[in-house]
Amino acid sequence: MAEIVAFSKEGRVGVITVNNPPVNALSQAVRAGIKAGIEKGIADADVSAMVIICEGRTFIAGADIREFGKPPMEPHLPDVCQFIEDSPKPVIAAIHGTALGGGLEIPLSCHFRIALSTAKVGLPEVKLGLLPGAGGTQRLPRVAGARSALEMITSGVPVAAARAKDMGILDEMVEGDLKAAALVFAQKVVDQKLPIRRVSQLKATVDSPTLFEDFAKANARKFRGFMAPFKCIEAVKAATELPFPEGMKKEREIFIELHDSNQSKAQRHVFFAEREVVRIPGLPDDHPTREIKSVGVLGAGTMGGGIAMCFANAGIPVKLLDMKQEFLDRGLAVIKKNYANTVAKGSLKQEVMDKRLSLIQPTLAYEDLKDADLVIEAVFEDMAVKKEVFTKLDAVCKPGAILASNTSYLNVDEIAAITRRPQDVMGMHFFSPANVMRLLENVRGAKTLPEVYATAMKVGKKIGKVPVLVGVCDGFVGNRMLAKRTRECGFMLEEGALPWQIDRVIYDFGFPMGPYQMGDMAGLDIGWRNRKAKFDSLTPREQKNNLLDKICEMGRYGQKTGSGFYKYDEKRNATPDPMIEELIINHSKEVGIARRTITDQEIIERAIYSMINEGAKILEERIAARPLDIDVVWLYGYGFPVYLGGPMFYADTVGLKKVYDAVLKYRDSVGAEYWTPSPLLEKLAKEGKGFYSK
Ligand code: T1G
């Protein structure tokens, strides 16, 4: 086993090489190894300068996140950084790949920093609900200025080497052999007797007396609900006001506060959940999969067009089929407009847009799909139409082609059953807009082969999605839980709440917007159509709760018609509509419900705990294999606030006993047919456990 940190000498240069795959995370052994290497270099009279460099695909990518939550072990990273900076001999950091978090704090404590032009450097701790905890908030402002440091630290977005050099973070950008370049640089430092520059002794520049307040105000919306970004601002401000040692104390205080916070625990959970979710329990990571070299997409509408873009963006050729040329023309025009908008924003080059467009071939002929390795149908949400389409696909597509439906709730097993290849049929449920939303629910049918859904998981990742494997039921995971929230909010309107109160509470909880503003934006007619399709399966109370029907019957479909639950001005700004309030009050009278005050807490419990209870049932039925699958669905498909970790992680934070007691309360007040407690929730609550506690 190669040494995790090796010390070698090249002439008069001591080379400290880190080799801790996969990303050279700063585990205890790495921290101790770096410190030991610096000690050796200092002690060795033949060594005049030192280089810190890494093997593998990247320079250090940060502290070892797996160590968080465990008792910290010495040497602590801030102390290692200080030890490097105090070295009497110059230390040069040689960076490649992505030097992130502690992986940039180590170079900042070095006396010089060089990087390959392809490297990136960043301080992404804020994405974990933290702040750089080893001097990053104190040293970065001293080399790059307070404003650049604020932007980097509160966004967590890495910067490319060229930009980092302009900012003063890097001394030199190099090409080719990094180690050779580092040795040349080190020798130059020695030969030219370049003075040792300790960043902590520099002064952080502030380009405006109101920089920090202005920055907080300008980013208030973006940082809404999060603790860490505001704490980052506080720490950077300290770098401009306090001597370095006091600033470091301030940073340490804040780091510990954030580290112990529920928000950071949630965001660290999300970091690992997003990576774990693509692994299928019980299936080895290297389970055989089918190669997807070409794809067919049926339906050139909003969803089909977005799906086609996903594959073209990943360089996979797509045949886009529809029934009429005019549908294809319209679909391609929308795709072109989407790409053109991105080019106009400067985040896509024209030649890349042209290349991607060239990969999307429109066609009217099923015959053209005969060689496709995967075909995804995104036609009208009607079982008869789906069956007709799959019958044709089954006849045309080659053996081994995977046939997937983008249906958002129809029974995938019923679709598979009309083909001769049910083992190759599954659901691939994209979320609108498909070329933007990262969630992909891969629905495995009763007969779907593991090789088939393993392929869907792999290709989902390849096209930049966060794929979650789910089972067949009405609404799979996301929409099944959403239906409970929608029902409870509809009931609360009858009982005393108003749309704008519910929207405020759900928005303040952390969602991008509340259910009624969301409905107005998506178009109320979609929900209305779904309600009519399912009307016979609704309970009598749900059938009589016809507020949505009444609003749609007035032609009020939401933003696109200028009014829905809200009124909209020409800029689509929403205003509560007294007419809707009157309609709701009259409706309560019609259904004989005496209106009462509904508290914000009740709205949270009935909107969110109803989903948690349903999530527990989804786990019992093995529609989702793990609570993290449910969390990921809600984080990436519905905007569940990341600092709460997803509905199941949030439930653990609240405490399952509290959730369970609330479920019993609403079972008695709203009705057992809506609030039957999940046996799993009951069991865990009574055992004092959580969904995640072992
Ligand atoms: N610690 C532990 N494991 C890590 C890790 C880390 N920092 N980063 C990645 N991994 C694992 C990851 O779980 C996966 O494991 C494998 O490496 C490949 O990762 C004191 C406190 C570097 C851009 O936040 O952004 O420093 O699933 O699939 O897509 O101030 O990983 O294979 O078992 O993501 O090529 C700050 C987090 C830490 C960087 C590579 N640093 N990592 O992306 O591979 S806090 C970060 C990333 C800190 C100091 C503070 C990405 C990547 P497995 P991957 P990738």
Side-chain angles (χ1 to χ4, degrees):
M1 165 78 171
E3 268 185 294
I4 278 201
V5 181
F7 181 85
S8 60
K9 282 201 293 193
E10 309 267 347
R12 300 186 60 81
V13 180
V15 181
I16 294 153
T17 306
V18 178
N19 184 15
N20 182 29
V23 296
N24 288 316
L26 280 159
S27 63
Q28 189 277 339
V30 171
R31 300 195 300 272
I34 290 173
K35 186 174 180 202
I38 297 288
E39 280 166 343
K40 275 189 197 143
I42 293 171
D44 188 328
D46 295 339
V47 167
S48 307
M50 284 172 270
V51 166
I52 299 177
I53 195 166
C54 293
E55 297 281 2
R57 60 176 164 155
T58 178
F59 193 81
I60 296 162
D64 187 336
I65 307 175
R66 296 185 195 285
E67 285 184 0
F68 289 142
K70 296 175 190 157
M73 294 179 290
E74 297 200 342
H76 301 312
L77 190 55
D79 300 335
V80 174
C81 289
Q82 198 54 57
F83 188 75
I84 294 169
E85 189 175 67
D86 293 345
S87 160
K89 297 178 183 176
V91 183
I92 293 100
I95 297 167
H96 73 291
T98 48
L100 301 173
L104 176 55
E105 291 172 305
I106 290 267
L108 287 172
S109 64
C110 293
H111 309 110
F112 300 93
R113 289 159 291 280
I114 73 169
L116 286 181
S117 58
T118 50
K120 288 186 178 177
V121 298
L123 293 170
E125 290 86 340
V126 71
K127 292 180 181 171
L128 298 169
L130 299 168
L131 56 63
T137 67
Q138 305 303 307
R139 289 195 173 94
L140 187 61
R142 286 176 163 82
V143 283
R147 182 180 295 279
S148 300
L150 278 177
E151 280 156 8
M152 269 184 80
I153 293 171
T154 58
S155 71
V157 176
V159 297
R163 170 108 178 84
K165 186 164 181 307
D166 292 346
M167 290 165 70
I169 297 171
L170 297 176
D171 298 292
E172 211 169 85
M173 238 180 10
V174 298
E175 304 291 345
D177 184 334
L178 179 61
K179 184 175 176 183
L183 293 173
V184 166
F185 190 93
Q187 199 52 55
K188 181 181 77 174
V189 170
V190 173
D191 296 347
Q192 295 176 16
K193 298 187 175 37
L194 295 186
I196 284 190
R197 291 173 320 172
R198 293 187 173 87
V199 170
S200 60
Q201 291 163 0
L202 301 177
K203 181 109 183 72
T205 57
V206 182
D207 60 16
S208 150
T210 55
L211 168 67
F212 298 100
E213 305 78 67
D214 296 348
F215 188 83
K217 215 177 290 164
N219 290 284
R221 191 168 173 72
K222 189 170 122 190
F223 299 160
R224 177 174 73 90
F226 288 93
M227 271 173 66
F230 296 102
K231 292 292 182 182
C232 290
I233 293 171
E234 206 180 308
V236 172
K237 189 163 187 279
T240 66
E241 295 171 343
L242 301 176
F244 184 77
E246 278 71 19
M248 284 300 287
K249 279 201 199 85
K250 180 78 178 161
E251 179 189 87
R252 191 89 211 128
E253 260 167 49
I254 298 175
F255 179 84
I256 290 166
E257 181 190 354
L258 290 174
H259 174 273
D260 296 345
S261 71
N262 286 331
Q263 286 203 0
S264 182
K265 287 171 189 160
Q267 289 176 249
R268 295 180 331 240
H269 153 68
V270 172
F271 175 84
F272 286 115
E274 182 189 338
R275 288 156 177 79
E276 192 56 30
V277 77
V278 292
R279 294 197 166 105
I280 302 167
L283 213 57
D285 287 354
D286 58 358
H287 190 280
T289 56
R290 296 178 191 173
E291 200 181 356
I292 304 297
K293 295 194 297 294
S294 72
V295 167
V297 173
L298 261 74
T302 311
M303 289 308 288
I307 295 168
M309 289 176 71
C310 292
F311 286 93
N313 294 350
I316 299 172
V318 184
K319 290 253 181 6
L320 181 60
L321 181 141
D322 212 320
M323 310 310 293
K324 290 184 185 162
Q325 190 57 45
E326 66 178 284
F327 298 160
L328 287 175
D329 296 345
R330 192 166 55 216
L332 277 175
V334 170
I335 292 170
K336 276 199 187 87
K337 185 164 69 65
N338 285 340
Y339 280 135
N341 289 345
T342 315
V343 169
K345 277 190 284 192
S347 34
L348 189 71
K349 289 194 174 64
Q350 185 61 50
E351 58 268 24
V352 175
M353 168 179 163
D354 298 341
K355 165 83 180 127
R356 290 178 181 179
L357 278 174
S358 71
L359 289 172
I360 302 174
Q361 291 302 315
T363 177
L364 295 167
Y366 272 84
E367 194 54 27
D368 286 348
L369 303 182
K370 67 182 184 335
D371 298 328
D373 302 308
L374 163 67
V375 179
I376 300 173
E377 157 276 316
V379 299
F380 193 60
E381 279 289 73
D382 174 276
M383 184 54 89
V385 174
K386 304 275 187 202
K387 286 182 175 178
E388 187 192 334
V389 163
F390 272 80
T391 303
K392 287 180 183 167
L393 289 175
D394 194 26
V396 167
C397 294
K398 68 183 181 185
I402 295 173
L403 309 184
S405 170
N406 173 57
T407 182
S408 58
Y409 69 96
L410 292 173
N411 187 315
V412 170
D413 290 330
E414 198 179 324
I415 294 171
I418 52 102
T419 72
R420 293 162 300 173
R421 62 175 94 190
Q423 74 283 0
D424 294 338
V425 176
M426 63 180 291
M428 290 181 77
H429 176 215
F430 289 79
F431 283 70
S432 183
N435 53 306
V436 174
M437 293 301 285
R438 292 190 63 199
L439 178 64
L440 170 63
E441 278 185 324
N442 281 327
V443 189
R444 52 168 166 66
K447 295 195 172 126
T448 308
L449 281 176
E451 175 181 302
V452 169
Y453 55 75
T455 301
M457 299 300 278
K458 190 172 173 183
V459 80
K461 213 180 162 192
K462 180 170 168 62
I463 62 174
K465 299 299 175 190
V466 182
V468 183
L469 189 61
V470 300
V472 175
C473 68
D474 184 355
F476 313 131
V477 170
N479 285 343
R480 174 169 161 180
M481 292 168 68
L482 177 65
K484 308 307 172 194
R485 185 181 90 174
T486 305
R487 178 201 70 212
E488 284 305 306
C489 291
F491 284 178
M492 286 189 279
L493 288 185
E494 295 186 310
E495 297 171 28
L498 289 172
W500 15 102
Q501 177 194 8
I502 292 175
D503 279 352
R504 173 182 53 75
V505 170
I506 299 297
Y507 177 80
D508 289 346
F509 181 81
F511 281 93
M513 63 172 71
Y516 296 104
Q517 274 204 304
M518 178 68 85
D520 274 359
M521 186 176 77
L524 297 178
D525 46 325
I526 298 170
W528 190 27
R529 192 187 312 127
N530 282 347
R531 173 176 157 81
K532 284 191 270 190
K534 297 181 178 171
F535 195 78
D536 296 343
S537 66
L538 300 178
T539 63
R541 182 179 177 186
E542 289 170 314
Q543 289 182 347
K544 282 190 284 193
N545 186 353
N546 60 359
L547 285 166
L548 183 63
D549 310 66
K550 286 173 179 155
I551 292 170
C552 289
E553 278 151 15
M554 291 188 268
R556 294 172 64 118
Y557 291 165
Q559 288 186 17
K560 61 186 173 185
T561 58
S563 68
F565 280 95
Y566 295 81
K567 279 189 300 195
Y568 293 90
D569 65 19
E570 64 291 341
K571 291 199 184 73
R572 297 204 165 191
N573 295 315
T575 314
D577 188 342
M579 191 279 279
I580 293 293
E581 179 169 351
E582 192 185 343
L583 180 95
I584 291 171
I585 290 167
N586 290 338
H587 169 82
S588 300
K589 285 194 196 103
E590 272 168 38
V591 293
I593 295 178
R595 291 181 73 80
R596 62 182 172 84
T597 302
I598 307 266
T599 64
D600 290 1
Q601 181 58 25
E602 180 173 348
I603 291 171
I604 293 270
E605 290 176 356
R606 290 179 65 176
I608 308 296
Y609 293 11
S610 57
M611 297 204 303
I612 294 166
N613 192 40
E614 197 63 21
K617 292 176 184 173
I618 284 170
L619 289 173
E620 286 158 5
E621 297 164 28
R622 305 205 55 72
I623 295 294
R626 305 156 293 192
L628 70 87
D629 297 284
I630 296 173
D631 282 340
V632 168
V633 162
W634 271 85
L635 288 158
Y636 290 94
Y638 300 83
F640 198 96
V642 69
Y643 53 77
L644 296 178
M648 311 312 268
F649 190 90
Y650 168 72
D652 281 4
T653 307
V654 168
L656 294 195
K657 173 88 175 64
K658 188 164 174 242
V659 173
Y660 175 64
D661 289 347
V663 170
L664 294 182
K665 175 175 65 175
Y666 296 116
R667 178 194 59 186
D668 300 341
S669 62
V670 181
E673 69 268 46
Y674 307 114
W675 285 89
T676 306
S678 135
L680 173 64
L681 174 63
E682 180 176 2
K683 177 176 177 293
L684 293 173
K686 287 182 174 165
E687 291 170 357
K689 289 184 179 168
F691 291 112
Y692 285 93
S693 52
K694 299 286 168 267

